[in-house]
């Protein structure tokens, strides 16, 4: 058992390193994705919240002051960029649609595990680099951030990535049965963007909608970790998010595994 566990982690570490090395071959693209885009996004968010408070002419909105919303505007886009996988989802869909999964099927690693390893490796690398932006802005503007809570908050986002990847895997299985699967990727990403609270903090939504959303796993990608590090929410919401993400991941994985087996039988049966 111990040898299998060690072999499992070595295999996944190797594919994680492959993702980092592959992306570093295009250093300019990597620099833009990991550093320039986060800076631009943070700048836009700050200007937006400055404008909102200027127009509202109020000290607080929804019970929170300007500094709290500035903190939200700085960290929400940063964490939101971690919690998406459109690039690897597109690659997964293309692999299935084109029939080139033969190469992966012959390797000692599953299709799900192969892309999960690469996704995690890439996300860890870009997170370490792009974290400079929100940290610097938080220090410059003296934003109300509980820095001691950052490890748990970022850990929750990476845990949420397992659900995001599982949803990507589930969507990729539709390529066995239909064309134009990439449209589902766009719809899924836009939906998660809204439900996660990146566009609008969930506590500014109507109470009934906010209550339902907070019971779902999606705020774990943005709202819950940001609310936790800014003092909007406590550890109880974080624990609830971990539980919700776990249950949702198990369900999505079961559905995805069933669709994958059915699709693979059709794939091998037709000789695609």
């Amino acid at each position: 058992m111990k040898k299998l566990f060690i072999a499992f982690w070595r295999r996944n570490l190797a594919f994680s390193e492959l993702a980092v090395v592959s992306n570093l071959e295009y250093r300019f693209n990597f620099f833009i994705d990991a550093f320039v885009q986060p800076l631009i996004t943070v700048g836009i968010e700050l200007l937006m919240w400055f404008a909102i408070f200027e127009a509202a002419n109020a000290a607080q909105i929804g019970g929170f002051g300007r500094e709290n919303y500035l903190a939200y505007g700085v960290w929400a886009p940063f964490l939101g960029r971690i919690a998406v996988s459109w690039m690897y989802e597109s690659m997964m869909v293309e692999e299935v649609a084109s029939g080139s999964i033969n190469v992966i099927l012959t390797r000692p690693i599953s299709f799900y595990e192969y892309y999960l390893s690469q996704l995690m490796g890439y996300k860890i690398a870009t997170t370490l680099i792009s974290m400079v932006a929100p940290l610097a802005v938080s220090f410059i503007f003296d934003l109300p951030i509980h820095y001691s809570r950052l490890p748990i908050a970022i850990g929750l986002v990476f845990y949420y990535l397992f659900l995001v990847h599982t949803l990507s895997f589930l969507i990729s299985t539709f390529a066995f049965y239909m064309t134009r699967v990439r449209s589902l990727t766009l719809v899924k990403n836009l939906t998660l963007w809204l439900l996660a609270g990146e566009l609008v903090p969930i506590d500014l939504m109507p109470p009934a909608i906010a209550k339902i959303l907070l019971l779902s796993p999606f705020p774990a990608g943005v709202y819950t970790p940001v609310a936790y590090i800014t003092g909007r929410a406590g550890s109880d919401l974080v624990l609830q998010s971990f539980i919700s993400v776990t249950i949702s991941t198990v369900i999505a994985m079961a559905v995805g595994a069933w669709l994958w087996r059915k699709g693979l039988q059709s794939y091998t049966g037709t000789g695609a």
Side-chain angles (χ1 to χ4, degrees):
M1 181 64 70
K2 183 179 179 180
K3 291 182 178 179
L4 290 175
F5 182 78
I6 294 175
F8 169 81
W9 281 109
R10 284 180 175 175
R11 184 170 66 241
N12 282 271
L13 182 60
F15 284 110
S16 297
E17 292 174 350
L18 174 63
V20 176
V21 171
S22 298
N23 283 280
L24 284 177
E25 289 181 0
Y26 305 94
R27 291 179 177 85
F28 183 73
N29 291 342
F30 185 82
F31 175 74
I32 294 295
D33 187 41
F35 193 73
V36 176
Q37 286 188 4
L39 278 177
I40 294 174
T41 305
V42 166
I44 293 173
E45 288 283 344
L46 289 178
L47 290 175
M48 182 187 73
W49 284 110
F50 273 123
I52 289 175
F53 271 89
E54 184 70 23
N57 194 24
Q60 290 188 341
I61 296 177
F64 298 99
R66 186 182 68 174
E67 286 71 21
N68 195 285
Y69 281 100
L70 291 179
Y72 195 97
V74 168
W75 286 92
F78 166 70
L79 296 178
R81 287 177 60 80
I82 300 176
V84 294
S85 65
W86 62 268
M87 179 175 68
Y88 285 100
E89 182 173 317
S90 297
M91 294 168 62
M92 294 165 71
V93 170
E94 180 61 27
E95 289 275 7
V96 177
S98 65
S100 56
I101 57 173
N102 288 323
V103 178
I104 298 178
L105 294 177
T106 58
R107 293 174 179 173
I109 188 171
S110 68
F111 181 79
Y112 178 92
E113 186 183 351
Y114 175 75
Y115 279 105
L116 175 63
S117 301
Q118 293 195 60
L119 172 66
M120 288 299 180
Y122 179 73
K123 289 297 182 179
I124 290 173
T126 54
T127 299
L128 291 175
I129 295 173
S130 59
M131 190 182 289
V132 174
L135 284 174
V137 174
S138 297
F139 278 116
I140 292 172
F141 288 92
D142 193 23
L143 299 180
I145 301 296
H146 299 271
Y147 295 100
S148 61
R149 296 183 175 186
L150 272 175
I152 294 178
I154 294 177
L156 174 61
V157 178
F158 271 89
Y159 190 67
Y160 174 75
L161 260 183
F162 283 94
L163 173 60
V164 173
H165 176 69
T166 304
L167 292 176
S168 295
F169 171 72
L170 195 157
I171 288 177
S172 71
T173 62
F174 284 100
F176 284 119
Y177 313 99
M178 58 182 289
T179 58
R180 306 292 183 183
V181 181
R182 289 185 182 85
S183 59
L184 296 179
T185 296
L186 178 61
V187 172
K188 185 213 71 176
N189 288 338
L190 289 175
T191 302
L192 294 184
W193 181 55
L194 178 62
L195 298 182
E198 183 177 351
L199 179 62
V200 179
I202 291 178
D203 43 26
L204 288 183
M205 296 182 180
I209 296 177
K211 185 176 181 179
I212 294 174
L213 286 180
L214 290 176
L215 291 175
S216 73
F218 309 112
V222 177
Y223 175 78
T224 299
V226 177
Y228 183 60
I229 65 175
T230 57
R232 285 173 177 251
S235 56
D236 54 336
L237 182 60
V238 174
L239 177 60
Q240 177 182 301
S241 291
F242 271 110
I243 295 173
S244 182
V245 169
T246 301
I247 295 173
S248 302
T249 302
V250 171
I251 295 174
M253 192 174 294
V255 175
W258 182 78
L259 289 173
W260 175 263
R261 287 195 298 270
K262 298 292 288 184
L264 205 58
Q265 289 173 3
S266 173
Y267 171 78
T268 55
T270 58

